[in-house]
């Protein structure tokens, strides 16, 4: 597992590993275990934080509510002093199933029944009385400590509430405190979204249910009051005259990442388990629960820092939503702290949305109803992959394990369904050779091995590309062992799929009939497919060499790879061709950059190794696609412009991701969620948040095995001075970097498994060789 142990020990000595050491322990043992003596809190003055002057409106909770999560449990929090709402989710709360009955055209159903949907498990509501006349309200998302809070004044008392989802305790905690002699009176409600009945007794309440697909689920809440009374009131838990109130919530399902069990474990009683967890956590003080959470969260968050310069006092005085609006309307005035905070917000979403459970879907853990667009699925033609472009560069490599674990768990079903159904005569994407092997998926996948929409033959190779990327950062052999069956099965699929064609008198291998996502005609040999097949064969060959197995298979793949048709530049458009045609067969400004996948995230085409003609083809296609699109598409464009070393275009697109979403337009909402416009409404898609943050880091550091380039596309806005620490580099390294006046002044390279690489800064070069764990400090230019 990729981990920056150097930073863990230096920054959190004595406070690390609380959750990791207790993995699998019983809640009772957990509650009795050693906890940090005091919260390892970054002070309010020093913390990176976002803030707002009003609570979130509940009818705008997806645009204004603040996200919390522990990688499994999540919630959107309104922060309303009178009626606080938490929209509670569990990453495995999914309807649907294997979805392996084909439609009449040989594709897979894509509906809420067979394919299914992610959904809201329940709501937690905290209603208070006697505080209606509050003033001086402030709502805050503390990125440094991983805590959402709200504070306000009522009479002579100052009230505060803090909310977070603890990974070590596996619960959501809401703590109400006050200074100045105030009291809390009100009630906590726990409400399901499928007509469940909530029962309460004493200070506890809970409900349970079963979805149509047989998935069982449950939720529980415990309320502890200090200096007052707590009691059951119907299906609610009421509290009266309390100086402090601690609300502990847990929810879950009997989902199991085990295809042999049909992804459900009948031995799990979700309600009983939730009750046990909240009871164990509620026996601990609010201060100690916070200490445990913050120590665990900061173990990840503190691995990377970013400083792009200092903002003005006027900018700092603005609430976050106003600050985003001002940055957009006054583009000449740079707000470097806001732009750095957006990167840290992406890291916050990664830490809270992806730990040791399921990976992040289209919306991560955060939705507001049970009818999300596209079912909040796993889209395999950009979205789920982009969700993990940030993790390793941002020092959060272990958060990427969730995607690998997901693919490994789904593999048996994907393989079975592919063997039975992919070559069905009505599937227009079937293998015309009649052969089939390995596994494939459709454009959408769920958590039960099910695929939906239409078959996506290249989807397996792109998923493998993401899994391989994590290996390149970590150099973790055990991880490579885990993902190898996924790589090999995808390579076997392509071995069976490729067909021969004659181009300029030479016989080449091309992909069978497929689609270049998500436009244009069905065609053979699309650039998208050819590049992904080339990458997959390359990665699998390296994997076989590292693991010392399947040498004969590797030789077969090497031969196939050598015969692949590779894309050209169209003499008619001057663009890198998307199809095996000089014509543009799709939309000129289409959102997807499918033909550029070999440029980013791939490396077959690179600024320092490819011909000028090929790079011009990439550049011309990017120019044609334009500088405005959906958030995730702008992030992808920004990353490509960084690789072309065009800093100002890369930066312009980064700011486009940050623009405010107004009148149902694309852009950033008040809570910094990225909004995908559907004309009359907008949809939250987390990939843009994570891809946008990754784009910022790509401007500061480019890497591939054997090369680390410092400041490849530093924009003028950040050039005066800055620093980053803990940035991951492919090949198994971590980099700390400082710069001034646009030039790198110091670079610290730390090996986390890598041995040899070349470090570059402009025309300066230095080849370094390190043993794992060693560090070297460089002064570029000297």
């Amino acid at each position: 597992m990729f981990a920056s142990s150097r930073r863990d020990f230096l920054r959190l000595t004595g406070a690390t590993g609380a959750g990791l050491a207790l993995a699998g322990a019983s809640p009772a043992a957990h509650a009795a275990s050693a906890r940090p003596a005091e919260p390892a809190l970054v002070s309010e003055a020093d913390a990176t934080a976002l803030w707002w002057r009003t609570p979130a409106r509940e009818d705008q909770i997806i645009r204004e509510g603040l996200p919390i999560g522990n990688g499994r449990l999540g919630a959107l929090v309104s922060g309303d002093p009178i009626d606080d709402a938490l929209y509670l989710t569990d990453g495995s709360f999914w309807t649907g199933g294997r979805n392996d009955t084909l439609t009449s055209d040989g594709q897979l159903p894509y509906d809420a029944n067979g394919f299914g949907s992610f959904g809201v498990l329940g709501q937690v509501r905290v209603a208070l009385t006697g505080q209606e006349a509050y003033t001086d309200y402030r709502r805050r998302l503390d990125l440094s400590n991983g805590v959402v809070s709200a504070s306000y004044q009522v009479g002579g008392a100052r009230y505060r509430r803090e909310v977070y989802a603890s990974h070590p305790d596996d619960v959501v905690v809401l703590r109400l405190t006050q200074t100045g002699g105030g009291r809390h009176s009100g009630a906590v409600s726990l409400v399901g979204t499928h007509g469940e009945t909530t029962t309460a007794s004493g200070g506890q309440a809970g409900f349970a249910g079963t979805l149509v697909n047989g998935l069982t689920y449950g939720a529980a809440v415990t309320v502890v009051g200090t200096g007052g009374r707590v009691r059951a009131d119907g299906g609610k838990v009421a509290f009266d005259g309390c100086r402090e109130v601690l609300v502990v919530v847990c929810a879950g399902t009997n989902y199991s990442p085990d295809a042999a069990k049909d992804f459900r474990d009948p031995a799990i009683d979700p309600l009983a388990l939730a009750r046990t967890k909240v009871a164990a956590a509620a026996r601990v003080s609010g201060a100690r629960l916070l200490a445990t959470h913050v120590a665990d969260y900061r173990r990840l968050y503190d691995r990377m820092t970013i400083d792009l310069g200092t903002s003005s006092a006027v900018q700092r005085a603005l609430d976050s939503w106003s600050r985003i609006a001002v940055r957009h309307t006054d583009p000449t005035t740079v707000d470097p702290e806001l732009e750095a905070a957006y990167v840290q917000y992406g890291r916050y979403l990664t830490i809270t949305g992806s730990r040791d459970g399921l990976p992040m879907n289209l919306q991560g853990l955060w939705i507001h109803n049970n009818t999300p667009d596209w079912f909040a699925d796993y889209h395999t033609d950009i979205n789920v992959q982009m969700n993990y472009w940030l993790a390793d560069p941002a020092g959060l490599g272990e958060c990427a394990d969730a995607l690998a674990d997901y693919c490994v768990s789904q593999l048996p079903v994907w393989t079975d369904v592919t063997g039975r159904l992919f070559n069905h005569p009505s599937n227009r994407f079937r293998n015309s050779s009649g052969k089939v092997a390995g596994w494939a998926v459709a454009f959408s996948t769920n958590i039960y091995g099910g695929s939906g929409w239409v078959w996506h033959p290249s989807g397996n190779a792109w998923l493998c590309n993401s899994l391989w990327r994590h290996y390149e950062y970590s150099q973790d052999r055990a991880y490579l062992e885990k993902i190898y069956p996924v790589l090999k099965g995808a390579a076997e699929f392509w071995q069976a799929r490729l067909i021969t064609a004659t181009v300029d008198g030479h016989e080449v291998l091309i992909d069978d009939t497929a689609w270049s996502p998500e436009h244009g005609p069905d065609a053979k040999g699309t650039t998208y497919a050819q590049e992904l097949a080339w990458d997959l064969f390359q990665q699998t060959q390296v994997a076989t060499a590292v693991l010392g197995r399947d040498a004969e298979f590797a030789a077969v793949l090497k031969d196939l790879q050598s015969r692949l048709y590779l894309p050209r530049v169209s003499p008619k458009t001057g663009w890198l061709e998307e199809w095996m045609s000089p014509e543009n067969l799709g939309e000129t400004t289409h959102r997807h950059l499918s033909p550029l996948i070999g440029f980013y995230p791939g490396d077959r085409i690179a600024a320092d190794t490819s011909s000028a003609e090929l790079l011009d083809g990439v550049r011309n296609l990017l120019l044609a696609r334009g500088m405005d699109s959906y958030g995730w598409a702008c992030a992808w464009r920004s990353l490509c412009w960084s690789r072309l070393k065009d800093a100002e275009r890369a930066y312009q697109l980064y700011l486009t991701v940050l623009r405010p979403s107004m009148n149902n337009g694309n852009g950033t909402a008040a809570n910094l969620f990225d909004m995908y416009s559907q004309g009359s409404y907008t949809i939250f898609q987390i990939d843009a948040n994570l891809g946008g943050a990754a784009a910022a880091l790509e401007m500061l550091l480019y890497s591939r095995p054997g090369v680390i380039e410092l400041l490849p596309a530093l924009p003028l806005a950040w050039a005066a001075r800055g620093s980053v620490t803990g940035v991951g580099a492919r090949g198994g390294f971590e980099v700390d970097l400082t710069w001034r006046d646009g030039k790198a002044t110091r670079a610290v390279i730390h090996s986390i498994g890598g041995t040899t690489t070349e470090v570059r800064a402009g025309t300066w070069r230095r080849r370094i060789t390190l043993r794992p764990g060693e560090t070297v400090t460089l002064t570029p230019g000297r």
Side-chain angles (χ1 to χ4, degrees):
M1 180 177 290
F2 169 48
S4 178
S5 58
R6 176 177 58 145
R7 283 189 167 74
D8 292 347
F9 284 108
L10 286 178
R11 295 179 179 168
L12 290 173
T13 302
T16 60
L20 296 179
L22 292 162
S26 70
H30 189 175
S33 66
R35 293 174 181 267
E38 57 182 311
L41 286 167
V42 178
S43 70
E44 185 165 324
D46 294 331
T48 298
L50 306 167
W51 69 280
W52 296 261
R53 300 180 187 276
T54 59
R57 295 169 294 172
E58 194 167 351
D59 65 347
Q60 296 293 316
I61 193 79
I62 195 66
R63 297 177 59 92
E64 298 179 6
L66 297 183
I68 61 170
N70 66 5
R72 181 187 73 80
L73 277 173
L76 285 170
V77 183
S78 74
D80 189 325
I82 310 307
D83 185 14
D84 205 351
L86 281 71
Y87 283 62
L88 188 67
T89 57
D90 175 287
S92 64
F93 190 67
W94 267 81
T95 59
R98 295 199 176 195
N99 202 44
D100 56 353
T101 300
L102 296 179
T103 56
S104 60
D105 61 354
Q107 306 309 310
L108 294 152
Y110 192 47
D111 56 45
N113 297 317
F115 179 78
S117 178
F118 184 45
V120 178
L121 195 150
Q123 286 186 24
V124 180
R125 308 197 72 95
V126 182
L128 299 182
T129 58
Q131 297 186 11
E132 292 81 0
Y134 64 86
T135 59
D136 192 23
Y137 178 92
R138 177 172 289 213
R139 187 164 53 114
R140 197 165 184 264
L141 171 51
D142 183 336
L143 300 172
S144 297
N145 294 300
V147 177
V148 167
S149 66
S151 62
Y152 53 91
Q153 194 81 14
V154 178
R158 186 74 186 174
Y159 291 87
R160 173 181 168 84
R161 63 188 60 191
E162 59 196 22
V163 193
Y164 54 88
S166 169
H167 183 260
D169 285 294
D170 198 28
V171 293
V172 170
V173 177
L174 186 149
R175 184 186 180 201
L176 307 176
T177 59
Q178 53 73 43
T179 56
R183 292 291 185 269
H184 297 93
S185 296
V188 175
S189 305
L190 181 62
V191 183
T193 62
H194 288 72
E196 302 86 351
T197 298
T198 302
T199 60
S201 176
Q204 299 182 349
F207 67 77
T210 304
L211 296 178
V212 173
N213 64 4
L215 187 79
T216 61
Y217 60 93
V221 61
T222 290
V223 181
V224 178
T226 302
R229 179 187 177 202
V230 176
R231 56 187 169 81
D233 182 5
K236 302 178 182 180
V237 178
F239 50 91
D240 303 292
C242 297
R243 294 191 302 273
E244 179 177 321
V245 177
L246 183 69
V247 180
V248 184
V249 184
C250 188
T253 75
N254 72 336
Y255 180 81
S256 172
D258 185 348
K261 294 182 177 180
D262 201 24
F263 299 101
R264 300 160 186 83
D265 188 345
I268 296 175
D269 181 338
L271 177 56
L273 188 57
R275 283 175 168 161
T276 301
K277 289 181 178 180
V278 296
R283 289 194 288 269
V284 181
S285 71
R288 301 283 287 219
L289 286 172
L290 179 64
T292 302
H293 163 69
V294 170
D296 171 76
Y297 173 82
R298 287 193 58 201
R299 181 184 64 81
L300 295 172
Y301 181 85
D302 285 357
R303 289 181 185 164
M304 198 206 88
T305 66
I306 181 168
D307 177 3
L308 300 176
T310 304
S311 298
S312 70
V314 172
Q315 290 168 326
R316 289 176 168 179
L318 294 171
D319 64 84
S320 296
W321 180 228
S322 299
R323 201 164 170 176
I324 289 168
V326 169
R327 180 67 188 90
H328 180 66
T329 56
D330 183 12
T332 61
T333 303
V334 179
D335 191 346
E337 290 177 4
L338 173 66
E339 292 158 33
Y342 191 81
V343 176
Q344 295 290 29
Y345 182 66
R347 296 183 72 242
Y348 171 82
L349 293 177
T350 300
I351 296 169
T352 55
S354 184
R355 295 292 290 269
D356 43 18
L358 287 160
M360 293 176 283
N361 58 43
L362 279 174
Q363 295 189 234
L365 285 173
W366 301 286
I367 57 175
H368 64 297
N369 59 38
N370 286 331
T371 56
D373 287 83
W374 305 298
F375 312 112
D377 65 20
Y378 296 105
H379 255 49
T380 63
D381 62 340
I382 178 61
N383 311 95
V384 70
Q385 292 91 343
M386 185 179 283
N387 282 355
Y388 289 92
W389 287 355
L390 177 65
D392 285 290
L396 301 175
E398 68 187 67
C399 294
D401 283 336
L403 181 60
D405 291 339
Y406 169 75
C407 292
V408 170
S409 72
Q410 306 294 297
L411 183 60
V413 183
W414 288 346
T415 303
D416 170 68
V417 171
T418 300
R420 290 189 292 109
L421 302 180
F422 186 80
N423 269 1
H424 191 277
S426 59
N427 175 20
R428 67 185 189 273
F429 300 131
R430 67 189 178 278
N431 295 342
S432 59
S433 67
K435 297 181 291 185
V436 67
W439 63 276
V441 291
F443 278 87
S444 298
T445 65
N446 65 20
I447 67 170
Y448 303 112
S451 285
W453 193 18
V454 296
W455 285 103
H456 180 202
S458 299
N460 56 10
W462 199 347
L463 285 171
C464 288
N465 182 285
S466 293
L467 304 188
W468 182 256
R469 178 185 174 100
H470 179 45
Y471 169 72
E472 286 188 320
Y473 280 97
S474 68
Q475 299 293 294
D476 185 337
R477 183 187 172 96
Y479 169 82
L480 186 58
E481 290 269 8
K482 178 172 70 175
I483 67 168
Y484 182 73
V486 183
L487 297 175
K488 184 177 180 181
E492 288 171 335
F493 174 86
W494 280 92
Q495 182 185 10
R497 178 166 174 79
L498 291 171
I499 59 176
T500 59
T502 301
V503 178
D504 296 337
H506 298 285
E507 190 176 85
V508 294
L509 293 176
I510 62 171
D511 180 35
D512 217 324
T513 302
W515 193 27
S516 184
E518 296 179 5
H519 70 142
D522 294 349
K524 293 178 171 65
T526 67
T527 294
Y528 171 75
Q530 298 299 121
E531 293 284 11
L532 283 169
W534 192 95
D535 269 355
L536 176 64
F537 291 158
Q538 180 70 21
Q539 293 153 5
T540 309
Q541 288 174 71
V542 175
T544 62
V546 172
L547 299 176
R549 64 176 68 168
D550 291 334
E552 291 184 4
F553 183 57
V556 170
L557 298 185
K558 183 176 181 179
D559 174 64
L560 294 174
Q561 184 187 32
S562 70
R563 293 190 284 137
L564 282 171
Y565 172 82
L566 294 174
R568 303 174 176 182
V569 175
S570 166
K572 186 167 184 177
T573 64
W575 312 343
L576 186 70
E577 291 180 355
E578 186 162 0
W579 298 269
M580 291 180 68
S581 168
E583 304 290 339
N584 174 33
L585 305 179
E587 304 166 35
T588 299
T589 58
H590 190 71
R591 59 193 178 273
H592 280 261
L593 295 180
S594 302
L596 296 186
I597 197 165
F599 186 64
Y600 190 96
D603 298 290
R604 193 192 67 79
I605 305 173
D608 61 335
T609 60
S610 297
S611 68
E613 179 191 17
L614 199 55
L615 292 172
D616 283 344
V618 169
R619 183 178 293 105
N620 291 335
L621 180 58
L622 273 172
L623 288 169
R625 283 292 202 261
M627 296 289 288
D628 192 9
S629 189
Y630 301 102
W632 61 263
C634 288
W636 197 356
R637 285 157 168 74
S638 177
L639 286 152
C640 287
W641 282 115
S642 285
R643 293 226 167 153
L644 285 172
K645 304 183 190 302
D646 192 324
E648 298 315 312
R649 282 194 174 96
Y651 179 63
Q652 180 184 338
L653 284 155
Y654 180 63
L655 294 184
T656 302
V657 177
L658 263 169
R659 67 184 165 186
S661 169
M662 304 294 291
N663 300 317
N664 293 319
N666 295 315
T668 295
N671 60 1
L672 270 70
F673 276 178
D674 189 88
M675 291 292 152
Y676 183 106
S677 177
Q678 288 288 282
S680 60
Y681 68 101
T682 55
I683 306 161
F684 166 47
Q685 280 196 204
I686 198 172
D687 44 17
N689 286 99
L690 306 173
L697 295 183
E698 188 79 12
M699 294 180 230
L700 305 179
L701 188 140
Y702 164 74
S703 69
R704 65 174 187 266
V707 176
I708 296 174
E709 186 168 359
L710 312 176
L711 305 180
L714 182 68
L716 289 173
W718 301 343
R721 68 152 192 88
S723 66
V724 287
T725 66
V727 178
R730 287 189 292 164
F733 298 93
E734 182 185 83
V735 180
D736 299 345
L737 172 65
T738 58
W739 67 89
R740 185 171 292 276
D741 299 326
K743 305 287 186 181
T745 57
R746 184 173 183 267
V748 180
I749 315 296
H750 178 73
S751 169
I752 59 166
T755 54
T756 301
T757 193
E758 182 176 88
V759 183
R760 303 174 180 176
T763 59
W764 179 87
R765 303 282 190 276
R766 180 69 54 83
R767 191 149 194 87
I768 63 171
T769 299
L770 299 172
R771 289 191 295 269
E774 286 188 335
T775 296
V776 64
T777 299
L778 304 173
T779 305
R782 295 185 185 177

